[in-house]
Amino acid sequence: MITETLSTRTLIDLNEPQQHAVALPVTQPPTHGLILAGAGSGKTRVLTTRIAWLLASGQASAHEILAVTFTNKAAREMIVRLTAQTTVHVRSLWIGTFHGLCNRLLRLHHREANLPQTFQILDMADQLAAIKRLMKSLNIDDEKYPPRELQYFINAHKEKGLRADSVEIWDNITRKKAEIYAEYEAQCQREGVADFAELLLRAYELLSRQEALRTHYQQRFRHILVDEFQDTNRLQYNWLKLLAGGGAAMFAVGDDDQSIYAFRGAEVGNMRDFEREFPGVRVIRLEQNYRSHGHILAAANALIQHNRERLGKELWTDAGEGEPIRVYEAAGDQDEAGFVADEARALMEEGVHQGQIAVLYRSNAQSRVLEHEFFARGVAYRVYGGLRFFERQEIKHALAYLRLIANPEDDTAFLRVVNFPARGIGARSLENLQASARQINASLYAAAASLSGKAAITVGGFVRLIEEMRAQIQALPLPEQIAQVIEHSGLAGHYQNEKEGQERLENLDELINAATVFAGDEEAGRAAESGGMLSAFLGYASLESGEHQAGEGEEAVQLMTVHAAKGLEFDVVFITGLEQGLFPHDNAASEARGLEEERRLMYVAITRARRRLYLSSAQTRMLHGQVRYAMPSQFFAELPPANLKLLSRAQRAPTDAAFWREGFASLRRKSPPAAQRSPADFAPELPGGLRLGMNVRHAKFGFGVITDAKGSGEEARVEVNFGSAGMKWLALAYAQLEPASP
């Protein structure tokens, strides 16, 4: 153990690997740290304690530390923990998300970044609206070039650090998309707005281009600490390398086994590149798990070992083995959902807290049948990750008014509220206004003065309203500014007359509360120095709109996708829909990298459970309006039998070992390609004792294999592959099929 000194009092409650990670020596050249922190191993604690140790030992000042994470919630948690651990003024530290820190950098250096001082941030919905508006102005067919597809194209290239003129052109479609990307960039520059992806790219370009600025920040930030390093994309990693180029010590905490965001651009390979590209990296593994019992961890370890491209670690706990993992094979998806709901209700009767029960699924579409069965049994549930506060209609309307007051060039905000509440401004008037704006190369707000006739009266009245509100609120504190805008814009009156407007009015009141809290924060004061309190609050609101927040109300069982469960933990977890093609998903499991990410996703799901874990599959599932016969997930074959308790359908109670030997064990013995086919032992039973995947014999066509089935009872039909005789659909009532040896 590390010898205790004054500077190591912060290490007392850590285990030995955690201590070694926290107390990595500060050397020159720097010692870099790659901390492989397994699920439930205390990674956030290690990261914050590292900062506290650097400060307490006098090896770094608050001015020299930059700490990056992925969510505002995680950043706030770090600040709270540091406040309790150190006497240093924590607010002086640069701690935040990639987007938040880049926003801060660009506000401070807006001129060098070629941005207006009051530039606004487009969230994903606003960005999509801006793209749609651009396409309409350019008369581009949105069926040939879907706006969401263009949004993904633009953001994906920005996250790779590529501007429109750097896009690799493959064909005419790519060329057209690149042209739209260029027009979109010009529109954003003209309106003085930046989307999320732009924040990081513009900040990276700023530091790349401005040598003096880059040198300043390289010399300032001597310690760069990164949380959830496995989730970084290529541009984020390059931005970190750029900042660390002056000799800063990098301290990266992550878990390659929990990298599940490739669809968002995350590059798990960044962890291997970091180890290779930063000389003197110390790799420390945090393998003691403080969350789950032994059976759960043994299953997680066995599963993830099937991934070849990993840095390697094995979780363990001193909390004991706990309960074996319960495995349930349902007849159908409704039976599976009923089983989950019944078990949840029984657990609640035993004293398990409702909020400590989570039901996980791979696809959002799976929630419908679960919701139905929970409702039918009177079990309160909540679909986690619903509409968030800053994404609610009334909040976005209020923020659009505020954005337009802060920046009249913001055309997206203008179009959102120019006729809300209704002012008699029709589509034709807006089309004429947009045409005038293009003709004089000005914003919609500025072009409003060029209109004539009725449009000049109605649109002009809206512009005068904005000018009046700007004058009214200029000298008011932030909360009063927002209250005035909600009242004088007509929003309050509109919702007072709406059938269900009370809830919306309460949300608008909460927006004022949020502004009150924000205005009292020291960080807000610093942000306001570079653009005013209102602009600072609008930037905060845009960044907050990306937060995942649990719904309010009564305690309830949590239903969510596995992706949404990342970072959460529960006493009891159900992982449902464990069938081939569903989990692992067909779209991802068709190639090796995709299958490895699906396995990491399963690893994340397993390690959400503290005390009890259920795994379930269904022999049939309703997909695309048809009953489909399913096969168990290949992940079952990768779990140790000793850690499982198999339940029967009849009694939902433990069965004998034959269930395992004749079922999952047969799947385990098969090679991966064969494992993706349905084993006969687990296929649903058809009339006459036949099963999907069974070898059969037909008097005319000879030997074959049942590959599909439809209908039931006398209308049951099967598809049989008879080899040279081809594929045949046969009615079971007349086919005279009989089982045959393979």
Side-chain angles (χ1 to χ4, degrees):
M1 300 287 283
I2 298 171
T3 303
E4 183 175 342
T5 66
L6 180 64
S7 63
T8 59
R9 287 184 299 184
T10 52
L11 310 179
I12 292 174
D13 295 329
L14 303 180
N15 63 39
E16 190 168 356
Q18 289 174 334
Q19 287 188 359
H20 285 297
V22 166
L24 274 177
V26 176
T27 60
Q28 200 57 247
T31 298
H32 306 292
L34 176 59
I35 315 304
L36 299 179
S41 64
K43 68 176 181 61
T44 303
R45 186 182 191 188
V46 165
L47 192 67
T48 54
T49 307
R50 169 69 175 177
I51 298 173
W53 183 81
L54 288 170
L55 296 171
S57 62
Q59 298 184 81
S61 67
H63 184 77
E64 296 175 310
I65 292 174
L66 175 76
V68 192
T69 187
F70 274 84
T71 66
N72 293 314
K73 179 182 176 183
R76 286 193 294 268
E77 183 181 349
M78 288 171 62
I79 290 171
V80 169
R81 292 193 184 196
L82 279 169
T83 302
Q85 286 180 279
T86 179
T87 58
V88 173
H89 189 55
V90 174
R91 295 289 179 178
S92 62
L93 295 163
W94 275 50
I95 297 178
T97 64
F98 280 99
H99 292 127
L101 292 174
C102 288
N103 174 52
R104 182 172 179 176
L105 183 69
L106 294 173
R107 297 284 177 192
L108 290 170
H109 306 286
H110 63 92
R111 291 190 184 85
E112 295 92 334
N114 192 26
L115 285 169
Q117 188 175 28
T118 58
F119 77 86
Q120 297 302 312
I121 303 170
L122 299 180
D123 64 17
M124 293 296 285
D126 287 334
Q127 183 191 30
L128 184 62
I131 291 171
K132 288 178 179 178
R133 175 162 46 85
L134 173 69
M135 293 176 67
K136 187 174 183 179
S137 71
L138 297 174
N139 199 27
I140 295 171
D141 185 354
D142 60 4
E143 291 188 5
K144 187 174 183 180
Y145 299 98
R148 287 192 182 277
E149 189 176 300
L150 285 166
Q151 183 181 36
Y152 174 80
F153 178 87
I154 292 168
N155 290 341
H157 281 87
K158 285 189 177 186
E159 287 167 0
K160 292 177 183 176
L162 300 175
R163 290 292 184 190
D165 57 4
S166 301
V167 172
E168 189 171 359
I169 305 300
W170 292 94
D171 50 30
N172 289 334
I173 292 178
T174 312
R175 180 176 290 104
K176 185 64 176 177
K177 286 181 178 179
E179 291 172 0
I180 297 171
Y181 178 11
E183 292 285 352
Y184 169 76
E185 284 191 304
Q187 174 179 285
C188 289
Q189 186 66 36
R190 184 179 67 251
E191 295 177 8
V193 295
D195 54 52
F196 278 168
E198 181 70 20
L199 292 175
L200 187 62
L201 179 54
R202 187 76 64 118
Y204 176 75
E205 291 173 339
L206 172 67
L207 294 177
S208 298
R209 186 176 60 249
Q210 299 282 341
E211 183 179 357
L213 205 60
R214 180 174 69 251
T215 302
H216 166 75
Y217 283 106
Q218 285 177 339
Q219 291 177 348
R220 172 179 176 168
F221 296 127
R222 309 307 300 164
H223 295 273
I224 300 175
L225 302 95
V226 191
D227 192 16
E228 302 287 7
F229 190 61
Q230 77 281 350
D231 293 334
T232 53
N233 63 34
R234 207 62 200 171
L235 182 58
Q236 289 164 342
Y237 179 55
N238 288 336
W239 183 73
L240 290 168
K241 286 200 297 183
L242 194 64
L243 281 172
M250 282 278 287
F251 188 86
V253 182
D255 183 2
D256 57 322
D257 291 334
Q258 294 189 74
S259 179
I260 60 172
Y261 296 121
F263 66 95
R264 294 183 188 168
E267 289 278 355
V268 66
N270 287 345
M271 298 189 77
R272 291 188 294 274
D273 290 345
F274 174 65
E275 189 177 6
R276 186 181 67 252
E277 295 174 357
F278 281 75
V281 172
R282 288 270 303 277
V283 178
I284 297 175
R285 289 170 170 80
L286 306 183
E287 298 173 306
Q288 183 174 359
N289 178 283
Y290 293 95
R291 175 188 303 159
S292 307
H293 287 156
H295 280 298
I296 295 169
L297 297 181
N301 287 331
L303 176 88
I304 203 63
Q305 285 173 5
H306 287 78
N307 275 3
R308 295 182 179 179
E309 296 187 7
R310 57 189 297 261
L311 298 172
K313 65 186 171 307
E314 185 157 340
L315 299 178
W316 63 275
T317 181
D318 58 10
E321 287 191 339
E323 303 176 15
I325 298 168
R326 290 161 169 79
V327 177
Y328 179 68
E329 186 201 29
D333 50 0
Q334 202 163 7
D335 173 39
E336 179 191 39
F339 163 73
V340 173
D342 285 342
E343 283 290 309
R345 185 167 57 184
L347 287 163
M348 288 153 48
E349 290 172 355
E350 293 172 11
V352 177
H353 199 275
Q354 275 179 280
Q356 285 300 320
I357 302 173
V359 183
L360 310 185
Y361 37 80
R362 177 64 179 85
S363 168
N364 269 311
Q366 293 170 249
S367 74
R368 184 194 64 81
V369 66
L370 287 162
E371 291 181 60
H372 177 81
E373 294 300 322
F374 271 76
F375 178 77
R377 286 160 171 77
V379 179
Y381 70 89
R382 180 179 300 114
V383 179
Y384 180 86
L387 200 61
R388 297 179 289 279
F389 180 79
F390 285 101
E391 293 179 335
R392 293 169 188 166
Q393 179 203 88
E394 61 276 14
I395 300 303
K396 292 185 75 69
H397 284 329
L399 292 175
Y401 275 107
L402 294 165
R403 283 169 50 185
L404 200 55
I405 289 170
N407 176 17
E409 305 298 308
D410 190 339
D411 285 356
T412 300
F414 184 100
L415 288 172
R416 184 176 188 94
V417 294
V418 65
N419 199 40
F420 190 92
R423 299 182 176 87
I425 301 173
R428 179 61 61 87
S429 295
L430 291 178
E431 288 174 4
N432 292 337
L433 178 61
Q434 288 173 302
S436 298
R438 287 194 299 273
Q439 187 174 3
I440 64 176
N441 193 28
S443 69
L444 297 176
Y445 195 93
S450 66
L451 293 178
S452 59
K454 181 183 176 183
I457 297 172
T458 54
V459 177
F462 173 71
V463 170
R464 285 192 295 275
L465 173 66
I466 299 298
E467 294 292 341
E468 288 169 5
M469 288 194 293
R470 183 182 295 114
Q472 287 171 354
I473 71 172
Q474 191 170 12
L476 296 176
L478 178 64
E480 292 182 33
Q481 289 183 339
I482 295 174
Q484 286 271 20
V485 169
I486 290 171
E487 184 65 34
H488 291 286
S489 65
L491 287 176
H494 173 82
Y495 289 123
Q496 281 169 357
N497 297 320
E498 196 178 66
K499 183 180 179 182
E500 298 180 1
Q502 186 57 41
E503 183 178 345
R504 297 189 187 279
L505 289 171
E506 290 172 359
N507 286 333
L508 290 172
D509 285 341
E510 186 58 32
L511 181 65
I512 298 171
N513 294 341
T516 303
V517 173
F518 180 82
D521 189 273
E522 292 180 11
E523 183 71 25
R526 283 194 296 276
E529 291 173 3
S530 58
M533 184 63 80
L534 178 57
S535 290
F537 178 72
L538 291 170
Y540 157 80
S542 294
L543 294 169
E544 281 289 303
S545 70
E547 281 290 324
H548 285 279
Q549 297 179 20
E552 297 175 357
E554 64 175 318
E555 285 298 326
V557 175
Q558 305 290 309
L559 275 60
M560 67 188 77
T561 64
V562 182
H563 280 104
K566 176 73 161 53
L568 305 177
E569 56 186 68
F570 304 90
D571 285 343
V572 180
V573 170
F574 294 83
I575 306 175
T576 61
L578 282 167
E579 296 131 34
Q580 205 67 13
L582 187 55
F583 197 6
H585 198 281
D586 268 338
N587 293 344
S590 57
E591 49 93 18
R593 284 191 65 184
L595 180 58
E596 292 215 344
E597 176 137 340
E598 288 292 294
R599 191 174 284 113
R600 291 195 293 269
L601 194 59
M602 180 64 176
Y603 176 85
V604 167
I606 291 172
T607 54
R608 297 312 91 197
R610 294 193 192 102
R611 292 170 41 207
R612 185 181 289 191
L613 176 64
Y614 292 82
L615 310 178
S616 64
S617 64
Q619 291 185 340
T620 62
R621 187 170 296 276
M622 183 71 74
L623 293 172
H624 311 300
Q626 292 184 331
V627 174
R628 299 288 298 273
Y629 292 103
M631 58 170 286
S633 169
Q634 68 187 80
F635 295 150
F636 281 121
E638 299 171 3
L639 303 177
N643 301 118
L644 306 180
K645 176 192 286 187
L646 305 162
L647 308 180
S648 72
R649 258 196 321 278
Q651 297 135 353
R652 292 176 179 168
T655 67
D656 59 29
F659 184 79
W660 173 266
R661 289 198 304 271
E662 296 174 10
F664 297 143
S666 68
L667 184 59
R668 169 185 288 278
R669 291 193 296 270
K670 300 186 178 187
S671 62
Q676 294 173 19
R677 295 191 290 273
S678 173
D681 293 330
F682 278 83
E685 190 169 327
L686 302 168
L690 301 176
R691 284 182 177 273
L692 199 66
M694 179 178 281
N695 293 277
V696 294
R697 183 180 183 277
H698 187 271
K700 179 178 179 181
F701 303 117
F703 292 97
V705 178
I706 300 176
T707 58
D708 202 355
K710 291 182 179 178
S712 59
E714 293 183 356
E715 297 181 358
R717 300 169 65 233
V718 293
E719 183 185 49
V720 184
N721 184 352
F722 287 107
S724 59
M727 306 289 288
K728 308 289 183 183
W729 276 100
L730 304 172
L732 284 181
Y734 310 103
Q736 296 182 336
L737 288 173
E738 59 184 34
S741 300

